[in-house]
Amino acid sequence: MEEMEGTVDSIIWASDDGRFAVFRLRPERQHGTVSVTVNAPAPLVGQELLLQGDWVKHPRFGDQFRAASMKVSAPTSLAGIERFLASGAIDGIGPATAKRLVAKFGKETLEVIEFHPGRLKEVEGIGKKTAEKIYSSYKAQSELREVMVWLETRGVSGTYAARIFEKYSSFSLDVLEHHPYQLAREIDGIGFATADAIAAGSGVEKDDAARVAAGIDYALLQISLSGHCCIPEGPLADRTAKLLQVGRGQVREVLKSQLQQQRLAAESVGGEVLIYPQYLYQAEKKTAMDLLYLQEKAEQLSVDEPLQLVHDWEESVGLELAEKQREAVAGVLQHGIFVLTGGPGTGKTTVVRGMLDVLELQGLRILLGAPTGRAAKRLSEATGRKAMTVHRMLEAQGGRTENGASMFAKDSDEQLEADVIILDEVSMMDIVLMQHFLEAVPAGCHVILVGDVDQLPAVGPGSVLKDILRSGVIPSVRLTEVFRQTEESSIVLNAHAINAGRMPVCVPGSDFQFLEINDSSMAAERIVSLCAQELPKEGFDVLNEVQVLSPMHRQDCGVENLNRQLQAALNPKSPYKAEFVNSTQVFRLGDKVMQTRNNYTKNVFNGDIGFIESMEEGSLTVRYSEELAAEYERSELGELQLAYAMSVHKSQGSEYPVIILPLVPGHRIMLQRNLLYTAVTRAKQRVILLGTKAALNTAVDNDRTKKRYTLLAERLCHKME
């Protein structure tokens, strides 16, 4: 790693969030300037810097110094001081005032501003109010510099300084010195490891109670990311003790204290104590209470004979429903909360259309929603009615509560205006989103939850749909009879075979194929060949009609490598094609990309897919639909990933004409029946599996889905009392 000292000459570009900047530096004892990039807020013109980093060659902008660390000091030369003040960094000072200040105070100018601001009035054009403005602005810059220096001197990158100062302002140093673990909870991008390093720099001992409490919080966060709402006390203590390298007894003592202070919550079930973060405890309790409340308080519909009404509808549209389908349509006329579940081809869409028709005959206001934009679009197309995402229905505001949950305009105080709400793909909804949805549902409203309980559970914590059905408290119908089948199509039949633990029937050249390839790298090559050559020859638009899925992110047939190889084949590098390169990905004009987190400002959400349609020096634009394009600054590219291949989890709620899925021995840890079933049910025209028969057998046989620690079912059937 090289060192370079110099003075900031000009700022080329800086991101709004302070995470990336490009500037020109005038190195000491050298002529000219050099371009510097840094993952940090832009320094100020005139500031003197000590940089550590490496030289890189950018394909468009040539040689650049990529700074890994940046130490800032105030300018010391008269020219540097004047350029610093003239840069506009200090409120109340422009180029003319900067010149007068330096002419009056010389090298003592910055000292006068910081320690003797009353003397500023000695300069022509500076009155009392302007002097106060200059002092306040410079003090803020000085404090930011102090935070940066504090971090650097303790072996922590000063790049976090701007985010810390933005959050805590003048209290930043106090937080760093006395409450370092607060950073992990409250500042985006600072995790436990960074906060722990800052704490160590402040002299926090290994077994300090604050450190152990933070370790418990971190362990619970990791647990929630695995889908759990809670965890038994013993495994939590073991996990935390291993993370922190402290005694298990010490962890238990702090855990006891955290429970007494109600910073955490606990439930005893079957002789086992389960520990919750408070926000998940509240989410689970409120979800159960609201479901039971809505079930009890739903407005009774004035329908004397629901089955007769359904029969009349069947005659009017020329359909004959199966018994279970008829029971489901009638059920929504009788119950405040109703659940409809079933696999592909069982007629869920027909039933939902029937529900809508008979409910509209009652003159009811109906809202339709789904967890993702793609699922909402499918629901809208299937029903011929407007549908929206749950986030849009609740009018997500984009902010966060202190527990990290999304904030919504629609809540218990300002509820949704509807008599009936139908949600599709409910298996994708986690406990927190379900809690927010239910508290926005007005008393008397009917709620219909639709989904396939055999698909993968939500990425977030909880197993909401499965737990509701497991409780047996909420009225439900499960459709099992398959209707959507023809002699030409075996996808639906094979999906149900997989779900029942039977091997799918794979026929070469049919709509359900298995290509046996024993080598993972050769399997990856064949996937590229299918997408770049074979399927296009059959008339498929590969970018829009074919989706490669994978059980894992790493390895030859993982999402990351497949994306690299497919990008090289489908959108190769060209001297005439702009691209952005960061530490993990290359984004190129024309690339297929996916949004990976909700961005309410841009109106794009986790899982949305688009194409890069333009690139400028510091930004790119992604086209998501005819109506929607979003611009991303370079610092925001972490929100995007290539989408030539995606995980099976990310594909939920979507359908594609063709899906391609590798099943190789290296994926063994993820080869589960519900994952294979979910992948297969994404395809409308063709499924291409490739890999080893052993891996396919493993996926079909393995129905031991990872147990999630949740107590929603127990709460619904009052087993907690």
Side-chain angles (χ1 to χ4, degrees), residues 568-586:
L570 302 176
N571 191 28
K573 184 181 179 65
S574 164
Y576 309 104
K577 194 176 289 182
E579 62 180 35
F580 283 169
V581 181
N582 64 22
S583 58
T584 57
Q585 292 185 105
V586 176

Side-chain angles (χ1 to χ4, degrees), residues 140-162:
Q141 294 293 345
S142 178
E143 288 176 339
L144 174 59
R145 191 166 62 248
E146 283 181 24
V147 173
M148 193 173 284
V149 170
W150 192 97
L151 291 169
E152 293 283 0
T153 55
R154 288 158 177 81
V156 181
S157 172
T159 57
Y160 298 109

Side-chain angles (χ1 to χ4, degrees), residues 175-185 192 195-196 198-200 202-219 240 243-244 246 250-251 253-255 257-258 261 263-264:
V175 172
L176 286 168
E177 290 174 357
H178 302 111
H179 312 284
Y181 294 105
Q182 196 172 318
L183 303 169
R185 296 193 302 272
F192 176 79
D196 203 34
I198 291 170
S202 297
V204 175
E205 298 293 333
K206 194 174 179 180
D207 61 350
D208 187 279
R211 180 173 185 261
V212 177
I216 293 170
D217 285 345
Y218 180 73
T240 307
L243 168 73
L244 302 177
V246 299
Q250 174 74 5
V251 175
E253 281 297 314
V254 174
L255 182 57
S257 172
Q258 294 287 288
Q261 296 172 45
R263 289 199 64 246
L264 303 174

Side-chain angles (χ1 to χ4, degrees), residues 407-581:
M407 290 191 292
F408 302 93
K410 297 295 184 183
D411 54 21
S412 55
D413 294 323
E414 188 176 338
Q415 296 184 308
L416 296 164
E417 295 178 7
D419 302 308
V420 180
I421 303 173
I422 300 177
L423 294 187
D424 197 12
E425 298 286 358
V426 175
S427 63
M428 299 175 67
M429 289 183 67
D430 64 33
I431 193 71
V432 176
L433 184 57
M434 182 59 77
Q435 175 222 326
H436 284 294
F437 165 71
L438 290 172
E439 69 179 15
V441 177
C445 183
H446 293 244
V447 174
I448 302 162
L449 305 176
V450 183
D452 185 350
V453 74
D454 294 316
Q455 287 189 28
L456 290 167
V459 174
S463 299
V464 176
L465 183 60
K466 184 177 285 186
D467 284 351
I468 290 173
L469 291 168
R470 184 164 64 89
S471 75
V473 172
I474 306 299
S476 65
V477 166
R478 181 165 187 159
L479 303 177
T480 56
E481 187 177 350
V482 179
F483 301 98
R484 197 180 82 208
Q485 56 178 296
T486 66
E487 292 182 4
E488 295 81 31
S489 176
S490 56
I491 295 173
V492 171
L493 292 175
N494 275 330
H496 285 274
I498 291 166
N499 200 32
R502 302 191 304 273
M503 289 290 287
V505 177
C506 306
V507 179
S510 73
D511 66 345
F512 203 104
Q513 304 173 28
F514 178 77
L515 310 178
E516 189 167 5
I517 304 173
N518 291 320
D519 182 80
S520 295
S521 62
M522 291 178 65
E525 289 174 12
R526 182 62 188 277
I527 290 171
V528 174
S529 174
L530 283 163
C531 293
Q533 299 164 19
E534 299 172 48
L535 290 170
K537 287 179 181 176
E538 294 186 41
F540 288 104
D541 176 355
V542 174
L543 293 179
N544 291 294
E545 296 181 324
V546 178
Q547 186 58 58
V548 177
L549 306 179
S550 178
M552 295 188 74
H553 286 272
R554 305 279 194 269
Q555 304 181 11
D556 289 335
C557 286
V559 170
E560 294 173 7
N561 184 54
L562 289 173
N563 265 323
R564 283 192 292 269
Q565 293 201 33
L566 288 166
Q567 181 191 45
L570 302 176
N571 191 28
K573 184 181 179 65
S574 164
Y576 309 104
K577 194 176 289 182
E579 62 180 35
F580 283 169
V581 181

Side-chain angles (χ1 to χ4, degrees), residues 36-54:
V36 179
T37 65
V38 63
N39 291 317
L44 304 175
V45 172
Q47 282 187 325
E48 296 174 0
L49 306 181
L50 173 62
L51 304 175
Q52 288 187 323
D54 299 293

